[in-house]
């Protein structure tokens, strides 16, 4: 008998918090006011126009009246209904759910940092500004780019920022370029971000599996609410654009690209590694062609985990890039946040970056700038004075309040410093090794499901559903079944052009034992077949949902 983590154990029932309160119960205990009414016998209510006051009878405030312990138990119990990185293997492709070392949390929750008011003047927050400034230097060293902004609060927000920068760049040059080329191997947010920034995204075909996605499949993926790109998918279905045959493999096809290059092209937006888990090996040639056309190369570097410390994006022609600190740089992210999607640029795009930004000079009183000190952090010798600045010649303006998600930047900074420069390259080396280990071990049973059997993958491997389907098991059935074994399901039905896709990203923090156990579970599910898989999960608090209904008609009470 193989041993799997499994999920049986003590699971508490838990009612809605609203149903748990009693009138008058409170979590805090404020002494009675014995000073009389606050202001000449009046209360706050007396100062508010009657038309803005809520009618207590008609629309009472539905706030639970509960004690502190009830609140704590409520959320702790609910959290036990879910799988999280701290309880189980979480191979959610494209999301880099690595284990996040607790030292980062400790540092981010130091009270003299977390209690700072965001409007404090620069004099009071010199160490904070220094951390951001030094972290910028570290990222410049790791990417070969010249400056980062940390204002965007998510990867997609970084993409949007990058696209706005490209837009402004061509406006200033007085060139009308409206098109952004996007390979079909890129992340779903890419076409969305370029479109919202005012461009027309044009799809470049790279790979379509022999049995490419049917409209039905795409509709399923759409209905299950995966990703941020449903409008894009729906559009593809409408245009009947899902059955294009193309012989090329999972990489950008240079000949195909050449057909699309013209003076309307502002940029190419490349997810690298792409959503097939492959490193774009033609990227240098692509960049040359794009640059020759006067266009720019944008790289979606959300999955920097695949090559951090081993190569720099500037060396293969990237002009502008975003990273996801909440993936590669170890910040717990789930349920939509918090995140940070810094955007890095080459020198010629610096003046377009958002404001505010941080500058450093030798001392508070003089104007000699501090040298930016790539890779030599902390940069303590120079005794710098740091300022938040708002002037930039062609800045696209503000794209978030204050400076962005400082606590995420801080965790990322702590993560890098606690590893040390000599260990940073091990992140990607182990991430790639782990993914290839899984790909290789799956070969004996799942070879028919590997769309790229000849290729080494990067940080994740992608399977189609050929093998499972032969047993009458859908990708969704598999994903639901693996939960009973005590694992979070991989990403499913994405990328869209791999039939019934299963995207496995083990990350570098997993042991060979854990990966073996997951692979054994996959094989066992296949063996147990449809009867078993179609009724899973069985051990969880909530069984299989009608996901469409749950999305369209959520019941909260
Ligand atoms: C996760 C991811 C994004 C989006 O990042 P968010 O922080 O969720 O907005 C974009 N591109 C790629 C390749 C990603 O993996």
């Amino acid at each position: 008998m193989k041993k799997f983590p499994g999920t049986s154990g003590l699971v508490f029932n838990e009612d809605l918090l609203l149903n748990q309160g009693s009138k008058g119960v409170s979590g805090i205990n404020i002494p009675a006011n014995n000073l009389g009414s606050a202001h000449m016998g009046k209360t706050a209510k007396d100062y508010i126009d009657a038309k803005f006051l809520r009618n207590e009878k008609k629309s009472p405030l539905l706030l639970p009246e509960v004690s502190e312990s009830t609140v704590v138990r409520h959320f702790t119990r609910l959290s036990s209904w879910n799988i999280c990185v701290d309880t189980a293997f979480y191979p959610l492709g494209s999301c880099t759910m690595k284990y996040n070392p607790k030292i980062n949390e400790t540092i981010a929750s130091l009270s003299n940092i977390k209690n700072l008011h965001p409007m404090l003047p620069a004099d009071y927050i010199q160490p904070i500004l220094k951390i951001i400034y030094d972290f910028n230097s570290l990222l410049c060293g790791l990417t070969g780019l010249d400056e980062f902004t940390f204002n965007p609060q998510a990867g997609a927000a970084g993409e949007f920022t990058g696209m706005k920068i490209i837009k402004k760049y061509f406006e200033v040059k007085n060139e009308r370029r409206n098109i952004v080329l996007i390979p079909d191997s890129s992340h779903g947010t890419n076409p969305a971000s370029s479109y919202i920034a005012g461009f027309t995204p044009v799809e470049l075909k790279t790979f379509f599996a022999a049995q490419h996605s049917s409209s039905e499949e795409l509709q399923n993926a759409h209905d299950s609410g995966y990703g941020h790109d449903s409008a894009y998918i729906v559009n593809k279905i409408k245009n009947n654009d899902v059955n294009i045959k193309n012989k090329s493999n999972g990489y950008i096809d240079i000949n195909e690209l050449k057909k699309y290059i013209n003076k309307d092209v502002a940029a190419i937006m490349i997810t690298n590694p792409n959503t097939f888990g492959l490193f774009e090996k033609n990227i240098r040639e692509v960049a040359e062609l794009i640059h020759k056309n006067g266009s720019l190369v944008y790289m979606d570097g959300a999955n920097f985990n695949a090559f951090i410390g081993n190569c720099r994006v500037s060396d293969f022609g990237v002009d502008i890039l975003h990273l996801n600190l909440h993936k590669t740089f170890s910040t717990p992210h789930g349920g939509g946040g918090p995140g940070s999607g810094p955007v890095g640029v080459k020198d010629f795009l610096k003046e377009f970056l958002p404001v505010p930004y941080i500058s450093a000079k030798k001392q508070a009183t003089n104007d000699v700038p501090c040298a930016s000190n790539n890779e030599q952090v902390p940069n303590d010798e120079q005794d710098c004075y740091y300022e938040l600045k708002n002037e930039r010649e062609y800045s696209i303006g503000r794209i978030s309040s204050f400076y962005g998600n400082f606590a995420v930047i801080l965790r990322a900074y702590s993560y890098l410093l606690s590893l040390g420069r000599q260990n940073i390259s091990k992140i990607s080396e182990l991430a790639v090794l782990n993914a290839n280990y899984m790909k290789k071990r799956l070969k004996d049973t799942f070879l028919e499901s590997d769309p790229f059997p000849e290729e080494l993958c990067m940080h994740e491997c992608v399977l189609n559903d050929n093998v499972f389907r032969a047993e009458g098991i859908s990708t969704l059935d598999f994903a639901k079944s693996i939960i009973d074994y005590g694992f979070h399901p991989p990403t499913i039905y994405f990328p869209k052009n791999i039939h019934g896709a299963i995207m496995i990203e083990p990350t570098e923090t997993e042991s060979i034992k854990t990966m073996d156990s997951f692979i054994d579970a996959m094989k066992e599910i296949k063996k147990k077949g449809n009867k078993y898989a179609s009724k899973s999960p069985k051990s969880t608090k909530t069984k299989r949902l009608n996901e469409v209904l749950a999305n369209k008609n959520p019941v909260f009470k």
Side-chain angles (χ1 to χ4, degrees), residues 99-130:
Y99 172 77
N100 306 291
K102 296 295 171 234
I103 178 78
N104 307 338
E105 289 308 310
T106 307
I107 287 175
S109 53
L110 291 174
S111 61
N112 53 351
I113 294 180
K114 78 170 187 219
N115 293 336
L116 288 176
H117 194 280
M119 290 179 89
L120 282 171
D123 279 351
Y124 290 78
I125 49 166
Q126 284 296 302
I128 301 293
L129 299 180
K130 175 176 164 50

Short mmCIF file of all heavy atoms in Angstrom, two decimals, residues 99-130:
data_model
loop_
_atom_site.label_atom_id
_atom_site.label_comp_id
_atom_site.label_asym_id
_atom_site.label_seq_id
_atom_site.Cartn_x
_atom_site.Cartn_y
_atom_site.Cartn_z
N TYR A 99 7.07 27.05 -1.44
CA TYR A 99 7.00 27.29 -0.01
C TYR A 99 7.65 28.64 0.30
O TYR A 99 8.73 28.94 -0.22
CB TYR A 99 7.70 26.16 0.76
CG TYR A 99 7.80 26.48 2.22
CD1 TYR A 99 6.69 26.35 3.04
CD2 TYR A 99 8.98 26.96 2.76
CE1 TYR A 99 6.76 26.70 4.38
CE2 TYR A 99 9.06 27.30 4.10
CZ TYR A 99 7.94 27.17 4.90
OH TYR A 99 8.00 27.53 6.22
N ASN A 100 7.00 29.44 1.11
CA ASN A 100 7.54 30.77 1.43
C ASN A 100 8.20 30.75 2.81
O ASN A 100 7.50 30.58 3.81
CB ASN A 100 6.42 31.80 1.44
CG ASN A 100 5.64 31.78 0.14
OD1 ASN A 100 6.15 32.16 -0.90
ND2 ASN A 100 4.41 31.31 0.20
N PRO A 101 9.53 30.94 2.85
CA PRO A 101 10.22 30.88 4.14
C PRO A 101 9.64 31.89 5.14
O PRO A 101 9.32 33.02 4.79
CB PRO A 101 11.67 31.26 3.78
CG PRO A 101 11.80 30.99 2.32
CD PRO A 101 10.45 31.20 1.73
N LYS A 102 9.52 31.47 6.39
CA LYS A 102 8.86 32.30 7.40
C LYS A 102 9.67 33.54 7.78
O LYS A 102 9.11 34.50 8.31
CB LYS A 102 8.55 31.47 8.65
CG LYS A 102 7.54 30.35 8.38
CD LYS A 102 6.16 30.89 8.00
CE LYS A 102 5.25 29.78 7.52
NZ LYS A 102 4.64 30.02 6.21
N ILE A 103 10.97 33.51 7.49
CA ILE A 103 11.78 34.69 7.82
C ILE A 103 11.24 35.94 7.13
O ILE A 103 11.24 37.03 7.68
CB ILE A 103 13.28 34.45 7.45
CG1 ILE A 103 14.15 35.68 7.74
CG2 ILE A 103 13.47 34.09 5.99
CD1 ILE A 103 14.49 35.84 9.18
N ASN A 104 10.72 35.76 5.90
CA ASN A 104 10.17 36.91 5.16
C ASN A 104 8.96 37.49 5.88
O ASN A 104 8.77 38.70 5.92
CB ASN A 104 9.74 36.50 3.75
CG ASN A 104 10.85 35.80 2.99
OD1 ASN A 104 12.02 35.98 3.30
ND2 ASN A 104 10.48 35.01 2.00
N GLU A 105 8.14 36.60 6.43
CA GLU A 105 6.95 37.05 7.16
C GLU A 105 7.36 37.80 8.42
O GLU A 105 6.79 38.82 8.77
CB GLU A 105 6.08 35.86 7.57
CG GLU A 105 5.36 35.20 6.43
CD GLU A 105 4.58 36.18 5.58
OE1 GLU A 105 3.81 36.99 6.13
OE2 GLU A 105 4.78 36.17 4.34
N THR A 106 8.36 37.25 9.11
CA THR A 106 8.81 37.87 10.35
C THR A 106 9.26 39.30 10.07
O THR A 106 8.90 40.24 10.78
CB THR A 106 9.99 37.06 10.93
OG1 THR A 106 9.57 35.70 11.03
CG2 THR A 106 10.41 37.57 12.28
N ILE A 107 10.02 39.45 9.00
CA ILE A 107 10.54 40.79 8.69
C ILE A 107 9.42 41.73 8.25
O ILE A 107 9.35 42.88 8.67
CB ILE A 107 11.68 40.67 7.65
CG1 ILE A 107 12.89 40.08 8.38
CG2 ILE A 107 12.00 42.02 7.03
CD1 ILE A 107 14.06 39.79 7.52
N ALA A 108 8.51 41.21 7.44
CA ALA A 108 7.43 42.07 6.95
C ALA A 108 6.48 42.48 8.07
O ALA A 108 5.75 43.45 7.94
CB ALA A 108 6.65 41.37 5.83
N SER A 109 6.49 41.71 9.17
CA SER A 109 5.56 42.08 10.23
C SER A 109 6.24 42.76 11.42
O SER A 109 5.62 42.93 12.47
CB SER A 109 4.75 40.86 10.69
OG SER A 109 5.62 39.82 11.02
N LEU A 110 7.48 43.19 11.27
CA LEU A 110 8.12 43.97 12.34
C LEU A 110 7.28 45.23 12.56
O LEU A 110 6.93 45.93 11.62
CB LEU A 110 9.54 44.37 11.93
CG LEU A 110 10.57 43.23 11.85
CD1 LEU A 110 11.89 43.75 11.30
CD2 LEU A 110 10.77 42.59 13.21
N SER A 111 7.00 45.52 13.84
CA SER A 111 6.01 46.56 14.08
C SER A 111 6.51 47.94 13.62
O SER A 111 5.73 48.77 13.21
CB SER A 111 5.61 46.58 15.54
OG SER A 111 6.75 46.87 16.30
N ASN A 112 7.83 48.18 13.69
CA ASN A 112 8.30 49.50 13.27
C ASN A 112 8.25 49.67 11.75
O ASN A 112 8.48 50.74 11.21
CB ASN A 112 9.71 49.80 13.80
CG ASN A 112 10.69 48.72 13.47
OD1 ASN A 112 10.28 47.66 12.98
ND2 ASN A 112 11.96 48.95 13.72
N ILE A 113 7.94 48.61 11.03
CA ILE A 113 7.75 48.73 9.59
C ILE A 113 6.26 48.70 9.26
O ILE A 113 5.74 49.58 8.61
CB ILE A 113 8.49 47.61 8.84
CG1 ILE A 113 10.01 47.79 9.03
CG2 ILE A 113 8.13 47.61 7.37
CD1 ILE A 113 10.84 46.76 8.34
N LYS A 114 5.58 47.71 9.79
CA LYS A 114 4.19 47.53 9.32
C LYS A 114 3.26 48.63 9.84
O LYS A 114 2.21 48.85 9.26
CB LYS A 114 3.68 46.14 9.67
CG LYS A 114 3.26 45.95 11.09
CD LYS A 114 2.55 44.63 11.28
CE LYS A 114 2.05 44.63 12.70
NZ LYS A 114 2.10 43.46 13.43
N ASN A 115 3.65 49.32 10.89
CA ASN A 115 2.76 50.37 11.40
C ASN A 115 3.06 51.75 10.84
O ASN A 115 2.45 52.74 11.24
CB ASN A 115 2.84 50.42 12.93
CG ASN A 115 2.29 49.16 13.56
OD1 ASN A 115 1.46 48.49 12.94
ND2 ASN A 115 2.73 48.84 14.75
N LEU A 116 4.00 51.85 9.91
CA LEU A 116 4.34 53.17 9.36
C LEU A 116 3.16 53.73 8.56
O LEU A 116 2.48 52.99 7.85
CB LEU A 116 5.55 53.06 8.42
CG LEU A 116 6.89 52.82 9.10
CD1 LEU A 116 7.95 52.63 8.02
CD2 LEU A 116 7.24 53.99 10.00
N HIS A 117 2.97 55.01 8.67
CA HIS A 117 1.91 55.64 7.87
C HIS A 117 2.45 55.93 6.46
O HIS A 117 3.56 56.43 6.31
CB HIS A 117 1.46 56.95 8.53
CG HIS A 117 0.19 57.45 7.96
ND1 HIS A 117 0.14 58.13 6.77
CD2 HIS A 117 -1.09 57.34 8.39
CE1 HIS A 117 -1.12 58.43 6.49
NE2 HIS A 117 -1.89 57.96 7.46
N PRO A 118 1.65 55.61 5.44
CA PRO A 118 2.19 55.77 4.08
C PRO A 118 2.44 57.23 3.68
O PRO A 118 3.09 57.47 2.66
CB PRO A 118 1.10 55.14 3.19
CG PRO A 118 -0.13 55.10 4.04
CD PRO A 118 0.32 55.00 5.45
N MET A 119 1.96 58.19 4.46
CA MET A 119 2.19 59.57 4.06
C MET A 119 3.34 60.24 4.81
O MET A 119 3.54 61.44 4.71
CB MET A 119 0.90 60.38 4.20
CG MET A 119 -0.11 59.97 3.16
SD MET A 119 -1.65 60.84 3.26
CE MET A 119 -1.29 62.24 2.21
N LEU A 120 4.11 59.46 5.54
CA LEU A 120 5.25 60.05 6.25
C LEU A 120 6.22 60.67 5.25
O LEU A 120 6.48 60.11 4.19
CB LEU A 120 5.97 58.96 7.05
CG LEU A 120 5.33 58.54 8.37
CD1 LEU A 120 6.05 57.32 8.92
CD2 LEU A 120 5.39 59.69 9.36
N PRO A 121 6.79 61.82 5.61
CA PRO A 121 7.77 62.45 4.71
C PRO A 121 9.07 61.64 4.63
O PRO A 121 9.38 60.85 5.53
CB PRO A 121 8.02 63.82 5.34
CG PRO A 121 7.40 63.81 6.66
CD PRO A 121 6.48 62.63 6.79
N ALA A 122 9.81 61.87 3.57
CA ALA A 122 11.02 61.09 3.28
C ALA A 122 11.99 61.03 4.46
O ALA A 122 12.61 60.00 4.71
CB ALA A 122 11.72 61.64 2.05
N ASP A 123 12.11 62.12 5.21
CA ASP A 123 13.05 62.15 6.34
C ASP A 123 12.80 61.02 7.34
O ASP A 123 13.71 60.54 7.98
CB ASP A 123 12.92 63.47 7.11
CG ASP A 123 13.69 64.58 6.41
OD1 ASP A 123 14.43 64.25 5.46
OD2 ASP A 123 13.53 65.75 6.80
N TYR A 124 11.54 60.63 7.49
CA TYR A 124 11.18 59.64 8.49
C TYR A 124 11.31 58.20 7.99
O TYR A 124 11.22 57.28 8.77
CB TYR A 124 9.72 59.86 8.94
CG TYR A 124 9.51 61.11 9.74
CD1 TYR A 124 9.43 62.35 9.12
CD2 TYR A 124 9.38 61.04 11.12
CE1 TYR A 124 9.24 63.50 9.86
CE2 TYR A 124 9.19 62.20 11.87
CZ TYR A 124 9.12 63.43 11.22
OH TYR A 124 8.93 64.55 11.95
N ILE A 125 11.42 58.05 6.70
CA ILE A 125 11.38 56.68 6.17
C ILE A 125 12.59 56.36 5.30
O ILE A 125 12.52 55.60 4.34
CB ILE A 125 10.08 56.42 5.35
CG1 ILE A 125 9.86 57.54 4.33
CG2 ILE A 125 8.88 56.27 6.26
CD1 ILE A 125 8.82 57.21 3.29
N GLN A 126 13.73 56.93 5.67
CA GLN A 126 14.94 56.68 4.89
C GLN A 126 15.24 55.19 4.69
O GLN A 126 15.52 54.75 3.58
CB GLN A 126 16.13 57.41 5.53
CG GLN A 126 16.13 58.93 5.27
CD GLN A 126 16.30 59.24 3.79
OE1 GLN A 126 17.26 58.86 3.17
NE2 GLN A 126 15.32 59.93 3.22
N PRO A 127 15.16 54.38 5.77
CA PRO A 127 15.47 52.95 5.57
C PRO A 127 14.50 52.26 4.61
O PRO A 127 14.90 51.36 3.86
CB PRO A 127 15.33 52.36 6.97
CG PRO A 127 15.39 53.51 7.91
CD PRO A 127 14.85 54.68 7.17
N ILE A 128 13.24 52.70 4.62
CA ILE A 128 12.24 52.09 3.74
C ILE A 128 12.60 52.40 2.28
O ILE A 128 12.63 51.52 1.41
CB ILE A 128 10.83 52.64 4.05
CG1 ILE A 128 10.46 52.37 5.49
CG2 ILE A 128 9.79 52.11 3.07
CD1 ILE A 128 10.26 50.93 5.83
N LEU A 129 12.89 53.68 2.03
CA LEU A 129 13.23 54.09 0.67
C LEU A 129 14.52 53.39 0.21
O LEU A 129 14.65 53.00 -0.95
CB LEU A 129 13.39 55.62 0.59
CG LEU A 129 12.12 56.41 0.95
CD1 LEU A 129 12.36 57.91 0.84
CD2 LEU A 129 10.95 56.01 0.06
N LYS A 130 15.42 53.24 1.17
CA LYS A 130 16.69 52.57 0.83
C LYS A 130 16.45 51.11 0.43
O LYS A 130 17.07 50.60 -0.51
CB LYS A 130 17.64 52.62 2.03
CG LYS A 130 18.93 51.84 1.84
CD LYS A 130 19.85 52.04 3.03
CE LYS A 130 20.96 51.00 3.08
NZ LYS A 130 21.69 50.85 1.82
#
